């Protein structure tokens, strides 16, 4: 587990925890920093097995991810905090907050972006981590988010595919265990032209939420957040601020 502290003011008012997409890394959130309050601590968490950590094995289940994330949250985050995750990061954030609510350590706010709501019962999606190499490469190129030049470097491309395969196993083997909807205030985010998770699939999260405070649809595809970072961050700040207790 890698922790990237993007901003660490003295006595921060709030810590914003960011969780990356499948195949991504904590560094992908660096551009967020210029659009977030200077009195917030910004903490990006990164799963093992990224491209730059070629000797690490990635996580292969949501349970394994929780085993890594929970101790980090307990040791690194104190006081008011919020959580935002995109794609795989949204699914991880949802499961993380489910556990934190049971422990009495829920965040002020949760942002779920670019991820379909989890299903119960048998797998609702194909097990993409079992796809052959060529099919996975085609999926990644069609989805975008990976610089095209990467595919001209065989070693780097192989590492990217390996990382994506591990991350997709976390996503596609996850089963929602049921139980009460989240009590934490939640905002939902979607790319209007996302070919992987269209906005109507994002809205289905409401079945798992007691307090869905906002739904935001922004221009762009699956990686809209890197094209409209300023607008996204403005909405994140507004929703977090609106969710804070008036006495704080």
């Amino acid at each position: 587990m890698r922790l990237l502290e993007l901003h660490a003011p003295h006595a921060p008012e709030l810590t914003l925890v960011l969780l990356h997409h499948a195949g991504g890394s904590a560094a992908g959130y660096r551009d967020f920093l210029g659009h977030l309050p200077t009195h917030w601590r910004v903490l990006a968490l990164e799963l093992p097995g990224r491209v730059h950590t070629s000797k690490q094995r990635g996580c292969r289940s949501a349970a394994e991810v929780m085993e890594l994330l929970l101790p980090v949250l307990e040791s690194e985050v104190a006081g008011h905090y919020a959580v935002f995750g995109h794609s795989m990061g949204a699914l991880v954030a949802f499961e993380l907050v489910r556990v934190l609510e049971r422990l009495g350590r829920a965040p002020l706010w949760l942002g779920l972006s670019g991820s379909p709501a989890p299903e119960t019962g048998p797998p609702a999606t194909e097990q993409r981590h079992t796809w052959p190499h060529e099919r996975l490469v085609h999926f990644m190129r069609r989805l975008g988010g990976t610089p095209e030049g990467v595919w001209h470097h065989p070693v780097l491309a192989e590492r990217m595919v390996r990382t994506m395969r591990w991350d997709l196993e976390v996503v596609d083997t996850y089963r929602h265990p049921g139980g009460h909807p989240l009590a934490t205030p939640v905002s939902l985010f979607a790319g209007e032209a996302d070919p992987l998770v269209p906005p109507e699939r994002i809205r289905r999260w409401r079945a798992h939420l007691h307090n869905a405070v906002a739904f935001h649809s922004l221009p762009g595809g699956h990686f809209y957040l890197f094209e409209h970072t300023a607008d996204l961050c403005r909405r994140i700040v507004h929703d977090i601020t609106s969710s804070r207790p008036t006495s704080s």
Side-chain angles (χ1 to χ4, degrees), residues 8 29 53 71 76 118 129 182 197 206 218 223-224:
Y29 284 116
T53 54
E76 292 291 336
H129 64 281
L182 287 187
V197 193
R206 294 181 183 274
L218 285 80
F223 294 108
Y224 75 91

Side-chain angles (χ1 to χ4, degrees), residues 21-152:
H21 60 274
S25 69
Y29 284 116
R30 286 191 184 276
D31 287 347
F32 277 46
L33 192 57
H35 306 288
L36 294 170
T38 57
H39 50 278
W40 285 10
R41 182 187 185 206
V42 182
L43 193 63
L45 303 184
E46 182 176 283
L47 298 185
R50 302 303 97 188
V51 173
H52 55 272
T53 54
S54 59
K55 295 183 180 180
Q56 289 183 348
R57 183 184 73 83
C59 295
R60 302 183 67 177
S61 70
E64 197 174 339
V65 173
M66 293 304 110
E67 288 180 4
L68 290 175
L69 284 182
L70 283 169
V72 173
L73 265 292
E74 290 176 357
S75 63
E76 292 291 336
V77 178
H80 294 310
Y81 76 103
V83 180
F84 174 87
H86 176 68
S87 198
M88 176 188 73
L91 188 64
V92 168
F94 171 72
E95 182 62 20
L96 181 64
V97 172
R98 285 185 67 251
V99 177
L100 289 167
E101 284 193 349
R102 292 201 301 269
L103 296 174
R105 285 212 59 206
L108 290 176
W109 173 90
L110 170 63
L112 302 175
S113 167
S115 173
E119 306 288 345
T120 56
T125 59
E126 191 171 358
Q127 302 295 288
R128 294 167 294 181
H129 64 281
T130 65
W131 285 353
H133 179 84
E134 294 75 14
R135 186 176 181 186
L136 199 50
V137 169
H138 177 72
F139 169 76
M140 293 172 69
R141 296 181 81 163
R142 181 173 59 87
L143 189 61
T146 303
E148 193 61 27
V150 165
W151 305 111
H152 301 298

Side-chain angles (χ1 to χ4, degrees), residues 190-199 217-228:
E192 292 175 357
D194 188 341
L196 185 63
V197 193
S217 182
L218 285 80
H222 190 63
F223 294 108
Y224 75 91
L225 69 169
F226 302 124
E227 301 166 1
H228 302 281

Side-chain angles (χ1 to χ4, degrees), residues 164-241:
M164 178 64 86
R165 193 179 297 279
W166 280 329
D167 290 352
L168 288 177
E169 186 168 2
V170 171
V171 174
D172 290 348
T173 61
Y174 175 78
R175 298 294 165 263
H176 180 45
H180 298 293
L182 287 187
T184 300
V186 177
S187 296
L188 303 173
F189 299 86
E192 292 175 357
D194 188 341
L196 185 63
V197 193
E200 58 267 23
R201 296 190 68 190
I202 305 289
R203 293 182 187 275
R204 294 177 192 170
W205 276 103
R206 294 181 183 274
H208 303 290
L209 311 173
H210 179 71
N211 194 5
V213 297
F215 175 83
H216 302 283
S217 182
L218 285 80
H222 190 63
F223 294 108
Y224 75 91
L225 69 169
F226 302 124
E227 301 166 1
H228 302 281
T229 303
D231 190 10
L232 173 63
C233 287
R234 178 181 60 79
R235 296 174 191 232
I236 288 174
V237 172
H238 175 272
D239 289 358
I240 292 176
T241 302

